[in-house]
Amino acid sequence: MSGDAGAFDALLSEERRFSPSEEFRAHAVVADPGVYETAAADREGYWERWARELDWFQAWDRVLEWDPPYAKWFVGGKLNVAHNCLDRHLDGPRRNKAALVWEGEPGDVRTYTYWDLHREVSKFSNVLRGLGVEKGDRVAIYLPMIPEAAIAMLACARIGAPHSVVFGGFSPESLADRINDARAKVVITADGGYRRGGIVHLKANADEAVRLCDCVEHVVVVARGAGITGQGQVRMEEGRDVWYHDLMESASAVCEPEVMDSEDLLYILYTSGTTGKPKGVVHTTGGYLTQVYATTKAVFDLKEDDMYWCTADVGWVTGHSYIVYGPLANGATVLMYEGAPDWPDRGRFWEICQKYGVTIFYTAPTAIRAFMRWGEDWPGRYDLSRIRLLGTVGEPINPEAWMWYHRVIGGERCPIVDTWWQTETGAIMITPLPGLTDTKPGTATRPFPGIEATILDDVGGETTAGYLAITAPWPSMLRGIYGDDERYRATYWSKWDGVYFPGDGAKRDGDDYLWILGRVDDVLNVAGHRIGTMEVESALVDHQSVAESAVVGKTHDIKGQSIAAFVTLKEGVEGTAEMEATLKQHVADKIGAIARPEMVVFTADLPKTRSGKIMRRLLRDIAEGRAVGDTTTLADPAVVQRLKEKYEEEGDA
Ligand code: WTA
């Protein structure tokens, strides 16, 4: 578990409580405290009521078919996700409402009404069909945070081609792994994107990746514009590569949406697990859309005139569910920003909030900790008085960060929804309801109505401190790991019988609130990004100088966790500062900059059990500067002492 038990015991005695204001309560989307009981008494009926708020081409015969660990929701129902996000808003006043308000990092701005977005998506759907993409074919999307990312996703959904969005910060090799695993036929990328004033050359990365793939027939390239003069500089491979704008020019704006079965594949999204190979989390259509729709509306208290901003990247699940599908299914106005929060200065986010009159703001604790460090002056320069609700996601939020968010960004008037969920859960699972729940800094509070979550011990007994467990199927649950059924069962369903194991530790307090304590497996959470220790270890041993490595998480003030790598070099190689820099860069090149280790400690030996298993627990103790735990099972206990001395010598950076 990241974080130590003592600190969490202190958390559980948290006395501060914040009730929604009378004003907020009076207008809340969910205002009836009986909702929890109603939902629990008839879970299927509850979800069915939400599903009815969507447009179905054909109604379902059964709400749920549960054959653990396989669930089917809204069995027999037919619908199309893009139709629900676009077409159904075109008949009323939403037609001319802004669907997407986008700002690029250099300051370029584009706004799409629902009518506009529908047209662009329909055209791009025809473009994809013209490139030979048929229902069921996979499409990889490797784009910056530009409107075309949302357009591409919705176009895939419209024609029934599952997308696999790959975060633009991933390396060519990581992209290639994902393209190959999904056997993607088409890759959609851009000549570049902006990040902190620099240009990320996505097409060049995609070229390198596609060289390692034999399944890709076409690469569609978006010209990002705003000073990126890709045309001319970008190498276009004849017959394979095509410019987005060339194809869009002649594409028809009429495209009938594919009639999809409720259980047809909507997308695959890769996420880190406990092995070296990322897993392709599979999401389907009807249940997923129902839960992202319901949670967006209820948790963010979404109203017709809100300006909603989720700062995530579409490359992560938060961007899928809470930038694209949830808000657009609700007919919301979504703000999308391309770049970094500190470019050109540390006031950029607040400048954007003021400029567009943001009312709902959803971000990650790691960002909040960075804002705290940058100081109150930055938000203080802007008018944030339109903000009425704040949200967080991605990692446990420490009470100081929560209080700062409440006071400085929320002006002490905004409810904060601390939302727990995962790539695998597809949508929010544990969260306050802003018009009902008394919040306490640091807890995600209670399961959303219709969700059954509890805390279990190793043998499946109820306890107040142990593992978080989801005890009933939910509509947006993953339907599997792409092409790896065995791993699906083993990872999530083998700990207890018919109960989902998310991999997080949790505690329950006297109010029955759930406190999520972080991962209990070998998955790190660095600045809200999931990274498997094994992935980083594989990247390290891939370097010619490395004999062996072990990677652990280390508490970090802003990122939550940072990566500490313990490395044994091959005979004759010296552990110099250059070697340290080389290995850090090697990991960044192999996986992406988010996986760059913060420190590399060279050691002659790693602590191992007599059977040769590396004892990561001891390495975590060393990295955290804690008293080292039980070493009696080690083959050579002296290794730990030597390592500890070495670590302290090298400076506990
Ligand atoms: C962690 C992001 C505490 C948790 C949507 C989970 C959280 C992992 C919270 C999933 C929260 C997410 N409080 N921990 N509110 N939200 N986590 O798949 O460890 O990128 O298992 O999904 O983030 O990360 P993922």
Side-chain angles (χ1 to χ4, degrees):
M1 231 174 266
S2 63
D4 64 282
F8 279 107
D9 286 339
L11 270 187
L12 294 186
S13 58
E14 176 65 61
E15 296 287 339
R16 290 170 291 196
R17 250 170 203 283
F18 299 87
S19 309
S21 66
E22 272 317 311
E23 159 76 10
F24 196 98
R25 211 185 277 271
H27 301 106
V29 167
V30 184
D32 168 19
V35 63
Y36 290 98
E37 237 170 89
T38 317
D42 176 13
R43 262 184 317 111
E44 293 183 20
Y46 173 79
W47 286 116
E48 194 168 29
R49 282 193 293 285
W50 280 113
R52 280 203 201 102
E53 293 190 21
L54 301 174
D55 246 22
W56 295 76
F57 300 137
Q58 185 182 308
W60 52 91
D61 312 312
R62 279 182 72 186
V63 176
L64 171 67
E65 228 174 80
W66 177 224
D67 178 13
Y70 302 101
K72 289 185 180 161
W73 281 86
F74 308 110
V75 185
K78 310 275 183 209
L79 75 167
N80 181 284
V81 167
H83 167 87
N84 273 281
C85 291
L86 302 167
D87 307 43
R88 70 174 181 140
H89 305 312
L90 301 185
D91 293 333
R94 276 185 193 155
R95 182 167 86 93
N96 298 318
K97 173 179 176 176
L100 203 58
V101 176
W102 173 82
E103 184 163 304
E105 198 185 69
D108 43 340
V109 176
R110 283 195 258 160
T111 300
Y112 294 83
T113 62
Y114 273 95
W115 183 262
D116 295 331
L117 198 58
H118 175 264
R119 180 188 61 240
E120 296 305 302
V121 168
S122 298
K123 286 173 81 170
F124 194 56
S125 300
N126 284 324
V127 166
L128 289 175
R129 279 185 175 155
L131 293 174
V133 179
E134 290 173 17
K135 180 176 172 181
D137 289 341
R138 277 81 56 212
V139 172
I141 298 175
Y142 184 63
L143 284 171
M145 279 288 286
I146 55 177
E148 287 80 358
I151 292 168
M153 290 164 75
L154 289 160
C156 287
R158 192 167 192 86
I159 64 171
H163 56 67
S164 160
V165 183
V166 180
F167 172 56
F170 275 121
S171 67
E173 202 172 309
S174 294
L175 174 61
D177 286 347
R178 287 158 175 77
I179 293 172
N180 279 326
D181 190 80
R183 307 293 304 156
K185 207 169 177 179
V186 167
V187 177
I188 303 164
T189 188
D191 48 3
Y194 281 100
R195 186 72 191 175
R196 219 162 260 130
I199 295 171
V200 185
H201 296 279
L202 293 161
K203 173 62 163 72
N205 287 351
D207 284 342
E208 243 184 274
V210 171
R211 215 172 296 136
L212 307 169
C213 308
D214 61 8
C215 49
V216 177
E217 293 171 14
H218 290 289
V219 178
V220 181
V221 188
V222 178
R224 161 70 183 82
I228 301 178
T229 49
Q231 302 171 63
Q233 283 176 25
V234 165
R235 195 185 59 86
M236 297 292 280
E237 194 173 299
E238 185 73 37
R240 185 195 71 181
D241 299 354
V242 283
W243 286 104
Y244 178 90
H245 58 269
D246 283 347
L247 298 178
M248 286 292 272
E249 206 175 75
S250 54
S252 156
V254 181
C255 175
E256 278 303 304
E258 199 71 48
V259 175
M260 303 297 285
D261 187 84
S262 181
E263 281 302 330
D264 276 338
L265 196 55
L266 176 63
Y267 68 79
I268 305 167
L269 182 57
Y270 288 83
T271 188
S272 294
T274 52
T275 73
K277 190 174 151 354
K279 42 194 183 189
V281 169
V282 167
H283 282 294
T284 59
T285 303
Y288 173 81
L289 194 65
T290 300
Q291 195 173 333
V292 296
Y293 168 82
T295 48
T296 302
K297 188 164 170 179
V299 175
F300 299 112
D301 191 55
L302 192 70
K303 307 281 169 51
E304 201 62 53
D305 59 353
D306 273 311
M307 176 58 85
Y308 167 93
W309 186 16
C310 164
T311 70
D313 190 286
V314 287
W316 309 110
V317 74
T318 306
H320 286 57
S321 300
Y322 298 106
I323 294 178
V324 181
Y325 295 121
L328 296 179
N330 275 283
T333 298
V334 177
L335 184 89
M336 187 173 174
Y337 167 60
E338 178 186 31
D342 55 352
W343 189 269
D345 64 37
R346 293 170 166 181
R348 185 64 183 270
F349 272 20
W350 318 123
E351 185 203 332
I352 292 174
C353 284
Q354 171 180 289
K355 180 171 172 192
Y356 298 99
V358 169
T359 57
I360 299 171
F361 181 74
Y362 190 33
T363 196
T366 183
I368 298 168
R369 290 190 297 266
F371 302 143
M372 279 174 81
R373 160 119 6 146
W374 297 341
E376 289 178 33
D377 283 359
W378 287 108
R381 285 180 207 174
Y382 299 94
D383 177 7
L384 305 180
S385 62
R386 288 265 175 179
I387 299 179
R388 62 179 195 89
L389 182 123
L390 298 171
T392 77
V393 60
E395 47 177 319
I397 182 164
N398 45 311
E400 310 86 85
W402 196 102
M403 287 304 300
W404 188 91
Y405 200 32
H406 168 73
R407 183 172 58 80
V408 180
I409 308 304
E412 296 182 344
R413 70 183 180 276
C414 304
I416 296 181
V417 289
D418 172 357
T419 62
W420 178 89
W421 59 293
Q422 308 178 298
T423 305
E424 293 87 341
T425 70
I428 293 170
M429 300 289 281
I430 301 175
T431 177
L433 284 176
L436 288 177
T437 315
D438 287 351
T439 54
K440 296 194 272 187
T443 165
T445 73
R446 302 179 62 178
F448 186 78
I451 299 297
E452 304 284 333
T454 190
I455 301 175
L456 299 179
D457 61 20
D458 270 308
V459 293
E462 291 267 352
T463 171
T464 51
Y467 306 108
L468 184 64
I470 315 293
T471 54
W474 64 101
S476 64
M477 65 190 272
L478 77 167
R479 300 302 198 262
I481 291 177
Y482 196 69
D484 198 345
D485 204 43
E486 192 35 50
R487 194 169 173 196
Y488 171 62
R489 289 170 169 276
T491 310
Y492 308 109
W493 303 97
S494 63
K495 196 168 183 70
W496 310 293
D497 197 22
V499 169
Y500 175 82
F501 172 56
D504 279 313
K507 283 192 178 190
R508 190 191 291 281
D509 72 10
D511 291 319
D512 247 5
Y513 282 6
L514 299 170
W515 295 70
I516 315 297
L517 310 182
R519 304 290 305 192
V520 292
D521 53 9
D522 290 322
V523 173
L524 307 180
N525 191 328
V526 179
H529 302 319
R530 273 167 71 166
I531 298 166
T533 52
M534 283 278 284
E535 278 177 84
V536 183
E537 287 165 9
S538 311
L540 283 165
V541 294
D542 170 81
H543 192 274
Q544 57 190 23
S545 302
V546 174
E548 197 172 25
S549 82
V551 163
V552 298
K554 170 175 158 49
T555 307
H556 186 280
D557 281 354
I558 290 183
K559 297 179 187 169
Q561 280 190 304
S562 65
I563 298 174
F566 295 86
V567 170
T568 306
L569 293 167
K570 288 195 178 145
E571 259 330 288
V573 183
E574 273 207 66
T576 57
E578 283 81 31
M579 182 53 70
E580 180 172 354
T582 302
L583 293 182
K584 286 179 179 174
Q585 189 53 40
H586 184 70
V587 174
D589 290 344
K590 291 287 284 186
I591 305 176
I594 53 169
R596 183 193 296 271
E598 173 146 301
M599 64 184 311
V600 175
V601 180
F602 295 112
T603 170
D605 307 281
L606 289 166
K608 289 187 188 160
T609 60
R610 281 172 215 111
S611 60
K613 199 170 174 296
I614 294 174
M615 291 193 68
R616 283 208 183 67
R617 175 175 56 80
L618 299 178
L619 294 173
R620 278 195 288 268
D621 288 342
I622 294 170
E624 298 289 7
R626 290 194 291 254
V628 173
D630 185 9
T631 57
T632 50
T633 55
L634 283 179
D636 175 8
V639 166
V640 168
Q641 196 46 41
R642 283 199 296 274
L643 196 51
K644 207 167 161 3
E645 283 160 16
K646 180 99 197 305
Y647 183 87
E648 279 154 12
E649 210 173 281
E650 288 186 12
D652 194 345

